[in-house]
Amino acid sequence: MDSLAIYYDLIAEENYDSHYGPNVAGMIVGGFLIGSGTFFLSVAINDVSKNDFASAISVGFFSAISIPFYLVGLPVFLYNTYKFVVRKGHANRRDEYIDTLKRYKERRENSVQWTIVPSVNLANAGGRLNLLVAF
């Protein structure tokens, strides 16, 4: 198998696992849900200092509302953050393979070396030139 084909296969494999756009959207949605839960919890904490019946109801209500936001938002945010880091690593590795492939192609194009070596044949009193080609 040609070395170029190996590089192309590696790039294609990493490219398949490197799309992290949906994870960014998931991080935004998870962050929004966590922020909403924090908002409702802060409203509940703000009403704790009041000593009337309506504020006691609002503390319980806003505390109860904040829990589902946290229960959904935290797993969504953490999962998408993890997948973002993993997929970003694949994208970085793909870019490294692309750079390595470019350097390999440059070396391959400039790798032919021509060398002319004179040789002397003392037994037959003659000489010649040898052409050595190295790839």
Side-chain angles (χ1 to χ4, degrees):
M1 178 179 255
D2 186 28
S3 296
L4 290 176
I6 293 171
Y7 278 116
Y8 289 135
D9 289 343
L10 288 172
I11 291 169
E13 183 178 329
E14 294 298 332
N15 193 36
Y16 178 74
D17 294 330
S18 67
H19 300 291
Y20 53 85
N23 299 114
V24 172
M27 288 168 51
I28 291 170
V29 169
F32 176 76
L33 291 172
I34 292 170
S36 299
T38 303
F39 171 75
F40 289 125
L41 189 61
S42 66
V43 169
I45 290 172
N46 191 26
D47 285 345
V48 167
S49 63
K50 300 175 186 171
N51 289 329
D52 58 349
F53 181 73
S55 62
I57 297 288
S58 71
V59 167
F61 178 73
F62 285 118
S63 296
I65 287 179
S66 68
I67 291 171
F69 281 104
Y70 280 122
L71 289 177
V72 173
L74 277 171
V76 168
F77 182 77
L78 293 175
Y79 173 78
N80 283 299
T81 301
Y82 169 74
K83 291 305 272 184
F84 173 79
V85 170
V86 169
R87 291 177 188 244
K88 187 71 171 165
H90 285 290
N92 290 339
R93 205 169 308 123
R94 177 201 59 208
D95 294 340
E96 289 174 6
Y97 285 146
I98 290 172
D99 292 340
T100 305
L101 176 63
K102 287 178 185 176
R103 287 193 307 270
Y104 175 74
K105 284 181 178 179
E106 289 173 3
R107 276 196 321 258
R108 189 173 175 184
E109 291 172 1
N110 299 329
S111 67
V112 177
Q113 297 175 354
W114 302 77
T115 308
I116 298 176
V117 179
S119 63
V120 178
N121 187 351
L122 297 176
N124 294 328
R128 68 177 114 166
L129 294 174
N130 292 329
L131 177 65
L132 298 176
V133 179
F135 295 96

